[in-house]
Amino acid sequence: MLNVAVANLSFAYDETPILAGVDMQVEAGSFVCLLGQSGCGKSTLLRLLAGLEKPSAGQIRVEGRPIAGPGLERGVVFQDYGLFPWMSASENIAIALKQKFKTLNAAERRALARERLAEVELPSASFDKFPGQLSGGMRQRCAIARAFAIDPPILLMDEPFAALDAVTRARLQELVIALWRKDARRRKTVFFVTHDVDEALTLATDIYVLGQSPGRIVHRHSFGRDKVLGRDAFRGDPGLFALRSQLIGIINEEVSAFRILDGGLAREAAE
Ligand SMILES: Nc1ncnc2c1ncn2[C@@H]1O[C@H](COP(=O)(O)OP(=O)(O)O)[C@@H](O)[C@H]1O
Ligand SMILES: [Mg+2]
């Protein structure tokens, strides 16, 4: 279990600032949902956490140590699955295992890969199929299996279910919660990006709302340790409906502070 501190983080790809002064103190074992409108900088923040981009200012620390590039302690699941198309589902897992567990031989890796795929309830008939032969939901199960097979203490997920239908999406949300919950004493610290308020309410122990232009934290909500995760979240806490309206309000307020200008988005002059 690793804690993550984002301190006064700013970032720009070019002269336009994308993130400005982002601060987050994330306790080890939290399930953080980063919520915000499209284009506000969620993926950029995740890429910085992954070490794929370097901050223009500020720092990200894991257990007090500044991150310097990608690391095996931080696993990533993206919306587009990131599977190797020329490898079968089980080969995709096996190659990830090879990277992480140097002592396993090929037969052991193959066996463990199949175990991992079974754990995410992928039908065994699809273990030897290529990603292109699998449905979106199956591919994302495979990507999740791979992320959990490497067993990183920190897991970064960028809208992993955005392209899936509602039923598949709900099932995969439950799957991720079950996998996260299983290892109660060394729970992964998860950063899960979504633009869907209900998804954030379902999954998160902590919600951070990102505003836009530049991206910054405009709201934070921390649920207590007793938060019911998953589909039952709404049943467990009637107050969640009020929070839902509040979050939708905050996001809409952010959006209405923009207007279309010359085909681009520009912030209304502050009155
Ligand atoms: N490689 C890049 N070069 C320049 N600008 C980028 C690049 N990637 C993203 N952006 C810009 O950064 C902003 C935030 O993008 P992104 O982090 O993808 O937002 P989100 O994930 O919240 O939709 C957008 O305005 C986008 O156009
Ligand atoms: Mg994005």
Side-chain angles (χ1 to χ4, degrees):
M1 302 202 357
L2 298 177
N3 68 42
V4 178
V6 177
N8 200 20
L9 177 75
S10 297
F11 179 79
Y13 291 101
D14 43 43
E15 55 290 342
T16 318
I18 304 294
L19 296 172
V22 174
D23 282 300
M24 301 170 77
Q25 292 288 337
V26 175
E27 246 180 76
S30 303
F31 201 121
V32 172
C33 281
L34 298 166
L35 183 62
Q37 280 296 308
S38 176
C40 72
K42 303 182 296 298
S43 296
T44 302
L45 178 52
L46 216 69
R47 290 176 60 78
L48 284 153
L49 286 162
L52 297 169
E53 304 288 352
K54 289 209 164 39
S56 313
Q59 252 184 353
I60 301 176
R61 293 194 200 89
V62 173
E63 289 291 316
R65 280 185 299 278
I67 59 169
L72 276 179
E73 90 284 4
R74 280 161 287 136
V76 191
V77 179
F78 291 115
Q79 187 184 335
D80 62 0
Y81 323 113
L83 300 169
F84 296 124
W86 61 87
M87 286 184 187
S88 70
S90 65
E91 284 168 341
N92 263 286
I93 312 294
I95 193 151
L97 290 168
K98 186 176 182 180
Q99 206 189 355
K100 175 74 188 252
F101 304 105
K102 311 272 184 215
T103 56
L104 294 178
N105 66 36
E108 287 167 331
R109 288 197 297 267
R110 263 198 304 276
L112 192 55
R114 300 179 87 80
E115 230 174 84
R116 291 307 194 183
L117 289 173
E119 195 180 33
V120 298
E121 290 162 17
L122 202 74
S124 56
S126 44
F127 289 4
D128 297 321
K129 291 199 170 143
F130 295 102
Q133 299 171 301
L134 302 174
S135 70
M138 287 164 135
R139 266 180 269 174
Q140 205 51 291
R141 277 180 199 275
C142 189
I144 290 166
R146 185 179 55 181
F148 278 84
I150 306 171
D151 198 24
I154 298 171
L155 188 56
L156 309 171
M157 307 182 85
D158 192 358
E159 308 217 32
F161 309 146
L164 305 176
D165 65 88
V167 174
T168 307
R169 183 177 187 149
R171 285 206 186 119
L172 290 190
Q173 288 169 351
E174 296 294 329
L175 171 69
V176 165
I177 289 166
L179 290 169
W180 175 77
R181 214 190 250 140
K182 216 169 76 173
D183 230 349
R185 291 204 292 155
R186 41 186 289 280
R187 262 182 200 156
K188 296 185 193 318
T189 309
V190 181
F191 290 83
F192 187 107
V193 164
T194 182
H195 60 261
D196 180 341
V197 172
D198 288 336
E199 184 162 66
L201 290 170
T202 303
L203 295 174
T205 62
D206 298 82
I207 295 178
Y208 287 85
V209 183
L210 253 77
Q212 16 196 351
S213 272
R216 71 228 178 276
I217 308 291
V218 292
H219 187 78
R220 181 192 164 199
H221 184 88
S222 209
F223 296 96
R225 291 262 155 206
D226 302 331
K227 161 92 186 300
V228 179
L229 300 188
R231 217 181 345 230
D232 292 333
F234 281 88
R235 244 179 280 162
D237 180 4
L240 224 54
F241 285 103
L243 177 60
R244 181 176 188 268
S245 313
Q246 188 194 0
L247 292 174
I248 291 171
I250 291 167
I251 292 171
N252 284 339
E253 215 171 277
E254 273 295 314
V255 174
S256 61
F258 285 79
R259 64 194 160 88
I260 305 293
L261 192 73
D262 295 335
L265 285 172
R267 196 159 189 81
E268 288 276 6
E271 263 95 32

